[in-house]
């Protein structure tokens, strides 16, 4: 009973972390890609209508693209893992003794003595032979990412992230439009980088700086291109 509760807790934690990973990725992409789009358009034309059309179209296209890409990516990963597990299951049926020796050898390679490695392999095999081989030999666990969860998390977080540069660009006065958008984007990407680093137990400052530099480069480049295109078309 305690083991079942522990497994359920691990499954919920794994699901939460997978959802957070997709959400952070989607939000960052939403902020940076939408900021690059509206800043580039702002460099080409001062008309608010053009910014609105470009921003909304880019936001919807980006959100749907993120959802589809995440779904396909996670589904492909799950299919690959399932095929590897099915292959391992066949090997366990065809050659159980050889697989047991292989499992013991892996534990010896990790530093256990021969006697202890064989004992651990035997006890794990008696408990759940497939799980033992999947976790040790393939490096997989049973709490794989749900492709639908990842898709929806990416889509909605992209929409949320995209609202930051889009709102800043459309709601600001013409004279303040660009600086307000730049500041909003840099603050948002910096905070998101710090939060994602905290989730992964990394250094928040380094991640924040990396995200800020990436957002700055994207906006500077797209603004330059938009300005050049605006001059050429004009």
């Amino acid at each position: 009973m305690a083991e079942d509760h522990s497994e359920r807790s691990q499954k919920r934690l794994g699901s939460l972390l997978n959802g957070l990973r997709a959400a952070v990725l989607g939000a960052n992409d939403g902020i940076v890609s939408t900021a690059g789009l509206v800043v580039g358009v702002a460099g080409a034309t001062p008309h608010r209508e053009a910014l609105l059309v470009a921003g909304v179209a880019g936001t919807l296209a980006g959100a749907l693209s993120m959802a589809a890409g995440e779904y396909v990516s996670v589904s492909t990963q799950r299919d690959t893992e399932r095929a590897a597990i099915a292959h391992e299951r066949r090997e366990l049926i065809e050659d159980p003794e050889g697989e047991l020796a292989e499992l013991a050898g892996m534990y010896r390679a990790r530093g256990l003595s021969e006697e202890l490695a064989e004992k651990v392999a035997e006890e794990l095999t008696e408990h759940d032979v497939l799980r033992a081989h999947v976790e040790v030999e393939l490096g997989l666990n049973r709490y794989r990412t749900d492709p639908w969860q990842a898709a929806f998390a990416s889509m909605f977080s992209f929409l949320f992230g995209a609202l930051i540069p889009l709102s800043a660009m459309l709601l600001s006065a013409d004279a303040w439009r660009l600086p307000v958008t730049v500041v909003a984007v840099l603050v948002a990407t910096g905070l998101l980088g710090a939060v994602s680093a905290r989730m992964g137990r990394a250094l928040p400052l380094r991640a924040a700086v990396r995200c800020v530099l990436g957002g700055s480069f994207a906006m500077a480049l797209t603004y330059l291109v938009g300005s050049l295109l605006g001059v050429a078309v004009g």
Side-chain angles (χ1 to χ4, degrees):
M1 188 71 176
E3 183 178 354
D4 291 340
H5 177 72
S6 176
E7 288 191 1
R8 286 196 300 270
S9 298
Q10 290 180 26
K11 186 173 183 179
R12 285 195 296 269
L13 178 60
S15 178
L16 175 62
L17 291 177
N18 287 325
L20 287 174
R21 177 199 62 81
V24 168
L25 178 63
N28 184 74
D29 199 17
I31 295 169
V32 175
S33 62
T34 305
L37 176 62
V38 294
V39 167
V41 174
T45 175
H47 299 299
R48 195 179 296 269
E49 293 79 6
L51 291 171
L52 176 61
V53 172
V56 171
T59 296
L60 292 177
L64 294 175
S65 176
M66 281 292 296
E70 195 72 21
Y71 179 82
V72 170
S73 174
V74 173
S75 295
T76 301
Q77 177 183 340
R78 290 190 70 177
D79 291 343
T80 302
E81 292 175 354
R82 285 172 176 167
I85 292 172
H87 178 73
E88 190 64 31
R89 184 182 287 110
R90 287 194 301 271
E91 288 187 334
L92 287 169
I93 294 173
E94 295 170 357
D95 186 16
E97 294 183 359
E99 290 296 305
L100 177 61
E102 183 180 17
L103 184 62
M106 291 180 183
Y107 280 112
R108 286 196 300 272
R110 294 186 177 190
L112 298 184
S113 65
E114 183 173 353
E115 181 180 354
L116 182 57
E118 291 177 357
K119 182 176 179 57
V120 170
E122 289 172 357
E123 291 189 0
L124 288 176
T125 298
E126 291 176 0
H127 176 68
D128 189 337
V129 59
L130 180 61
R131 181 175 181 178
H133 283 267
V134 165
E135 292 183 348
V136 177
E137 185 175 343
L138 302 180
L140 302 177
N141 59 55
R142 298 191 296 176
Y143 311 117
R144 295 182 292 276
T145 308
D146 181 357
W148 286 109
Q149 179 193 44
F152 283 118
S154 295
M155 182 177 69
F156 288 116
S157 61
F158 184 98
L159 291 172
F160 177 77
L163 285 176
I164 296 174
L166 190 58
S167 300
M169 183 66 72
L170 295 176
L171 298 179
S172 302
D174 292 350
W176 292 95
R177 180 182 297 163
L178 193 59
V180 167
T181 302
V182 170
V183 171
V185 168
L186 296 184
V187 170
T189 53
L191 288 175
L192 188 63
V195 169
S196 63
R198 282 288 186 185
M199 288 169 49
R201 298 181 180 180
L203 295 176
L205 181 59
R206 179 180 300 175
V209 170
R210 186 165 54 239
C211 289
V212 167
L213 290 176
S216 300
F217 177 77
M219 287 187 291
L221 183 60
T222 53
Y223 182 79
L224 175 61
V225 173
S227 300
L228 294 175
L229 289 175
V231 171
V233 174

